Amino acid sequence: MRLIRVKDYAAMSDEAFAIVYERMSANPKLTLGLATGSTPVGLYERLVSAVQTGKLSFREARSFNLDEYVGLAPDHPQSYAYFMREHLFDHIDLPAGRWDIPSGIAPDLDEECARYEAAIEAAGGIDLQILGIGPNGHIGFNEPGTPLESRTHVVELTESTRRANARFFERPEEVPTHAITMGLGTILRAREIILLASGESKAEAMAKLLSLSDFDPELPASALHRHPEVWVIADEAALSRVRR
């Protein structure tokens, strides 16, 4: 695990973009694992700019998203499918058939999880996975107690995760109670991983993560200690409780 300490959110986004740009330039057929939420938006803005100025192309790339809310259709403004179109897919040249997001309205959710896992496998696996970290240390929607070997599955969201996501909904009761997420085992099969962290709200989780040297089920992000190629890019606020 290699830590890159940066000043702020903009610098974090710059560092992440530099890695993604280098990997995609070297391999235009890269398969990306993508995250949602406010953390990767700066990275996506930089990728959009690179495509629109002709410096980068996604025409041969593929992508798989980490997760999706159960019960939200792809055109729902708070669905992650909608988020990805708004912030990335509608502004780059990634063909529609080359990105995949779990369906939160599939009639059989277990079958959808199996389909998604098989699709990742059929694509040859994920080359570069982008992650954020939740205040309780979750990655994707893998909450504390998630088994290390877990694959794509349906999870009941904890109250703390629902509170953290309530700002995106008009009323707290509208926040979904379940989601489909790549499992920890799925994430760890990526060839390379970038974990992004910005802001004081991530400080406690980051302090716990960097104090550990192996997997602790109570901090799902600590699974990354089991992976040989992880970049952690975090700003001063997110690292404010970590000793230098």
Side-chain angles (χ1 to χ4, degrees):
M1 184 177 288
R2 287 164 286 186
L3 174 63
I4 301 176
R5 182 188 291 264
V6 296
K7 180 181 180 181
D8 53 23
Y9 179 84
M12 180 200 72
S13 301
D14 287 340
E15 289 285 350
F17 170 74
I19 295 173
V20 176
Y21 181 82
E22 180 181 346
R23 303 300 186 271
M24 290 198 67
S25 297
N27 178 17
K29 296 183 179 180
L30 202 74
T31 297
L32 292 161
L34 300 177
T36 52
S38 57
T39 301
V41 168
L43 166 61
Y44 296 157
E45 289 173 348
R46 287 154 177 78
L47 291 172
V48 168
S49 178
V51 170
Q52 294 183 349
T53 55
K55 297 176 181 177
L56 195 64
S57 174
F58 282 77
R59 284 192 298 272
E60 298 181 272
R62 292 184 64 96
S63 76
F64 291 90
N65 261 74
L66 272 171
D67 40 35
E68 178 60 284
Y69 285 122
V70 169
L72 299 191
D75 59 353
H76 189 287
Q78 299 307 329
S79 73
Y80 288 157
Y82 189 99
F83 176 99
M84 291 306 302
R85 291 195 303 272
E86 181 181 28
H87 291 284
L88 188 64
F89 296 155
D90 285 352
H91 312 288
I92 61 174
D93 55 351
L94 179 66
R98 297 186 69 84
W99 56 265
D100 201 344
I101 299 175
S103 171
I105 57 170
D108 187 325
L109 294 177
D110 290 336
E111 186 176 289
E112 173 63 6
C113 292
R115 178 204 71 79
Y116 202 65
E117 197 73 25
I120 294 172
E121 185 73 20
I126 291 169
D127 295 306
L128 180 60
Q129 176 69 57
I130 308 299
L131 298 173
I133 184 170
N136 67 352
H138 72 241
I139 50 176
F141 274 126
N142 294 289
E143 303 285 6
T146 301
L148 186 64
E149 66 276 7
S150 59
R151 303 298 186 188
T152 301
H153 61 288
V154 177
V155 61
E156 182 175 1
L157 304 181
T158 64
E159 188 59 33
S160 65
T161 295
R162 295 185 72 233
R163 282 198 305 270
N165 292 339
R167 67 188 188 278
F168 301 115
F169 294 82
E170 289 187 8
R171 295 183 299 276
E173 59 269 23
E174 294 179 359
V175 183
T177 59
H178 293 74
I180 296 177
T181 184
M182 288 186 195
L184 295 178
T186 310
I187 291 169
L188 291 179
R189 294 182 71 181
R191 295 174 182 86
E192 191 173 15
I193 296 171
I194 299 174
L195 176 69
L196 303 175
S198 175
E200 179 64 31
S201 66
K202 308 302 175 68
E204 183 176 353
M206 290 302 296
K208 289 179 180 178
L209 173 64
L210 296 175
S211 72
L212 296 170
S213 59
D214 201 357
F215 176 58
D216 180 344
E218 292 307 304
L219 191 80
S222 65
L224 301 180
H225 286 296
R226 297 285 184 96
H227 196 285
E229 294 292 334
V230 177
W231 297 90
V232 177
I233 308 174
D235 65 16
E236 292 179 356
L239 297 174
S240 60
R241 301 186 191 181
V242 176
R243 292 181 178 179
R244 286 188 178 271

